[in-house]
Amino acid sequence: MNFGRHISGQFNVELESIRTHVLTMGGLVEQQLSFAMQALHKEDVELARKVVRDDHKVNAMEVSIDEACTRIIAKRQPTAKDLRLIMAIIKTITDLERIGDVATRMAYVAIESPSSKERQFQISLEPLCRQAIAMLHQALDAFARMDVESAAEVHKLDDKIDAEYEAVIRQLMTYMMEDPKNIPHILQVMWSARAIERVGDRCQNICEYIIYFVKGKDVRHLGDQSIDDALR
Amino acid sequence: MNFGRHISGQFNVELESIRTHVLTMGGLVEQQLSFAMQALHKEDVELARKVVRDDHKVNAMEVSIDEACTRIIAKRQPTAKDLRLIMAIIKTITDLERIGDVATRMAYVAIESPSSKERQFQISLEPLCRQAIAMLHQALDAFARMDVESAAEVHKLDDKIDAEYEAVIRQLMTYMMEDPKNIPHILQVMWSARAIERVGDRCQNICEYIIYFVKGKDVRHLGDQSIDDALR
């Protein structure tokens, strides 16, 4: 992907390298979420420990990509689309790092809950979690191809995640009322549900940065309809 | 504050203007949180509506400061400390905007809960909310003076917020178990508590950006002890 047909071929190489690092980071975060979900559902404490251990890798990638972006700004003095790419990357990695934190939080639940009851309720999160992982996967795919149409489509998936989240919370609330002694367990599960629901919001952010990069339009704080209008 | 003794006096003026805008945005966000808290406790639906109405101002400031930062990078090609200031600002306004969202969420609770019961539980959040507002105030103060020692001190306040949050959640959980029909009300209050607790984390982020700007060290993902070490 030749971003701006630079006279400096080296500049292109550097931009491409940063972009590759973002995708690697995204792949790792997606894997972390997926492993955390598996760890919960298969009661695999070893896998959960791996997720916790690997969180520092996600953090380190955020810091090093940030540094690379600052270095390239200072050295190459990018403007226009190049600069927008770097801005989009700086914001994207913040969201990816926070999604990584969600995976770690889920992994801690798998490690710290000796009660099979908590894990049993946690199973009810599986469809929500699968949706969030799929949305992240598609957002990263749109990022890899810098595809605004896909980004706008992925942006809309959050409505489904929100609906599933609401259904899960209602279900868990029923369990709470049926047997109040389960309240502490179920609350843990609700916190996880909330965290997973937020993954959808963060994926929306990533889609907004893609649109910002390609179209030069800041579509944050607008609804899906306005985004569609902006792309027309 | 002369950031880098630039040959261009105009560059200084531009940097100073952006910094002023960040402080204005910070002041507005602090006010939003404070109004949202008052609205809940005084059952002042009109004030809550004002908070919801004004959220777009916070969003618009985020977008316009972001634009100003991108423009100044393209035009002035900043390096070293100037560039770090701009990077710190870009990240700070993201956190400020999210704190603004917390205020709006609290305001919605004040508007949508006709039940005095929900509001009654909500009162238990007042000390937590006061602590979060105080921490935000101090973080913005450290930002205004770009004072790393203050930033490191403010960073530590999050432990107190976390402790207060844990106490609030335990208390609310007891209410839930005592009378399960209150569960839906109390859950609403717990979501608010969680959101307010996250304000503390976001204030910590702002403190980390101050240290990054002044010291050139990225102290994210480190604990308070490592931050103290980095400042020595």
Side-chain angles (χ1 to χ4, degrees), chain B residues 141-158:
Chain B
D141 192 56
F143 184 93
R145 296 180 289 111
M146 284 300 169
D147 178 337
V148 274
E149 271 76 31
S150 297
E153 288 311 307
V154 176
H155 199 275
K156 291 176 185 129
L157 295 177
D158 191 47

Side-chain angles (χ1 to χ4, degrees), chain A residues 51-97:
Chain A
V51 171
V52 171
R53 263 198 320 272
D54 285 352
D55 184 49
H56 80 97
K57 290 187 192 168
V58 175
N59 296 346
M61 289 179 100
E62 183 196 16
V63 170
S64 96
I65 294 170
D66 239 342
E67 271 174 18
C69 287
T70 312
R71 219 165 31 234
I72 208 170
I73 291 176
K75 189 170 150 199
R76 300 291 178 182
Q77 306 172 339
T79 57
K81 208 165 179 188
D82 297 328
L83 182 52
R84 289 208 306 274
L85 176 67
I86 295 168
M87 291 296 157
I89 286 173
I90 287 173
K91 288 171 190 289
T92 296
I93 57 175
T94 304
D95 284 298
L96 287 178
E97 191 272 329

